[in-house]
Amino acid sequence: RWDYNDAQNPDFIICNSRFVQNWVKKNYNRDSIVIYPPVALHDFPLKEVKQEYYVIAGRMATIKRFDLVIEAFNSNKKRLIVIGDGDELQHLKSIATSSSIEFLGFQSVDVLSNYLQNAKAFIQMGVEGFGIAAIEAQSCGTPVICYKKGGIIETVNDYKTGLFFEEQNVESLNKCIETFEKVTWNYNEIHEHAQQFSEKKFHENISQFINLQVK
């Protein structure tokens, strides 16, 4: 009740996706606008030659469902690079039985960018309000394999910049990977798609919103 009451105080609410906008309407009964957040795309340049590995990256928290990705790669034996740190890291290491799964821990932006540039695909299993890492991957020209729920639906184009799977489980992910490997991807098209989420575009959108309120 306190949260709901406090949410009535702001003059305006800006959401980072339509997914979050719907959440705000449902839980706060407030109208809002969507302005996608800025992504530092200059740190994630296009690379059109890919290597034979997949990447997951981010904070090692339960909500990310990295455990399901680990289980999937235990099964399919494909190479998986895991980047990030957090409370779940030791647990994830303990369930990784395949020698093709490699944990790199926390890494700098430069190292993350290098792995995303060269990856066959970036995988997102969790439900994100927006999902900046998926944009960073696409900026590198790297397609995204993702669970079809959350803000990711607004930032990935199915069969063009990535591929969706319908259920949040190991079987659904592995079937999607099988399909993914049969698709020919246009890495430059994926890179160009990501540019709509640039810092410049965000500055334009937020400035336009503020100017409209001033008038």
Side-chain angles (χ1 to χ4, degrees), residues 39-48 50 113 116-118 122 131-144 155-156 161 186-199:
V39 184
L41 300 179
H42 52 81
D43 290 328
F44 298 90
L46 170 66
K47 187 167 184 181
E48 298 191 69
K50 305 299 182 182
S113 177
L116 288 178
Q117 288 173 53
N118 289 285
F122 174 81
I132 285 180
I135 303 299
E136 293 170 342
Q138 289 174 90
S139 182
C140 295
T142 300
V144 177
T155 63
V156 172
T161 71
N186 185 326
Y187 301 128
N188 186 67
E189 181 180 352
I190 297 171
H191 168 77
E192 289 300 324
H193 169 76
Q195 303 314 301
Q196 64 185 295
F197 304 105
S198 68
E199 292 171 314

Side-chain angles (χ1 to χ4, degrees), residues 31-58:
D31 292 329
S32 60
I33 70 157
V34 174
I35 297 179
Y36 292 122
V39 184
L41 300 179
H42 52 81
D43 290 328
F44 298 90
L46 170 66
K47 187 167 184 181
E48 298 191 69
V49 178
K50 305 299 182 182
Q51 298 180 20
E52 285 294 321
Y53 66 83
Y54 295 82
V55 169
I56 55 173

Side-chain angles (χ1 to χ4, degrees), residues 56-74:
I56 55 173
R59 180 171 51 89
M60 302 297 168
T62 305
I63 195 172
K64 302 284 188 177
R65 298 316 313 261
F66 286 161
D67 57 322
L68 295 177
V69 182
I70 298 296
E71 290 177 23
F73 279 77
N74 281 338

Side-chain angles (χ1 to χ4, degrees), residues 38-209:
V39 184
L41 300 179
H42 52 81
D43 290 328
F44 298 90
L46 170 66
K47 187 167 184 181
E48 298 191 69
V49 178
K50 305 299 182 182
Q51 298 180 20
E52 285 294 321
Y53 66 83
Y54 295 82
V55 169
I56 55 173
R59 180 171 51 89
M60 302 297 168
T62 305
I63 195 172
K64 302 284 188 177
R65 298 316 313 261
F66 286 161
D67 57 322
L68 295 177
V69 182
I70 298 296
E71 290 177 23
F73 279 77
N74 281 338
S75 173
N76 66 36
K77 306 301 182 184
K78 298 179 186 297
R79 188 182 178 202
L80 176 68
I81 302 295
V82 184
I83 300 175
D85 201 353
D87 295 340
E88 286 287 295
L89 180 57
Q90 292 308 313
H91 169 65
L92 294 174
K93 285 183 175 181
S94 73
I95 65 172
T97 58
S98 173
S99 60
S100 62
I101 300 173
E102 182 179 353
F103 290 84
L104 301 184
F106 177 81
Q107 295 293 333
S108 67
V109 171
D110 287 345
V111 172
L112 172 63
S113 177
N114 181 64
Y115 276 99
L116 288 178
Q117 288 173 53
N118 289 285
K120 198 168 187 178
F122 174 81
I123 297 176
Q124 181 173 306
M125 177 63 88
V127 179
E128 305 273 357
F130 178 71
I132 285 180
I135 303 299
E136 293 170 342
Q138 289 174 90
S139 182
C140 295
T142 300
V144 177
I145 298 173
C146 48
Y147 175 44
K148 194 176 181 180
K149 188 173 182 181
I152 198 82
I153 296 173
E154 302 165 44
T155 63
V156 172
N157 287 340
D158 204 20
Y159 281 92
K160 290 187 176 180
T161 71
L163 209 56
F164 294 120
F165 53 94
E166 299 287 339
E167 299 178 33
Q168 196 180 38
N169 59 42
V170 170
E171 293 76 15
S172 190
L173 171 57
N174 272 336
K175 286 180 181 178
C176 190
I177 291 173
E178 289 178 11
T179 301
F180 169 85
E181 294 189 341
K182 298 173 184 176
V183 178
T184 299
W185 298 95
N186 185 326
Y187 301 128
N188 186 67
E189 181 180 352
I190 297 171
H191 168 77
E192 289 300 324
H193 169 76
Q195 303 314 301
Q196 64 185 295
F197 304 105
S198 68
E199 292 171 314
K200 179 182 178 182
K201 188 66 175 177
F202 170 79
H203 293 156
E204 291 173 355
N205 290 338
I206 199 76
S207 296
Q208 183 181 36
F209 173 75

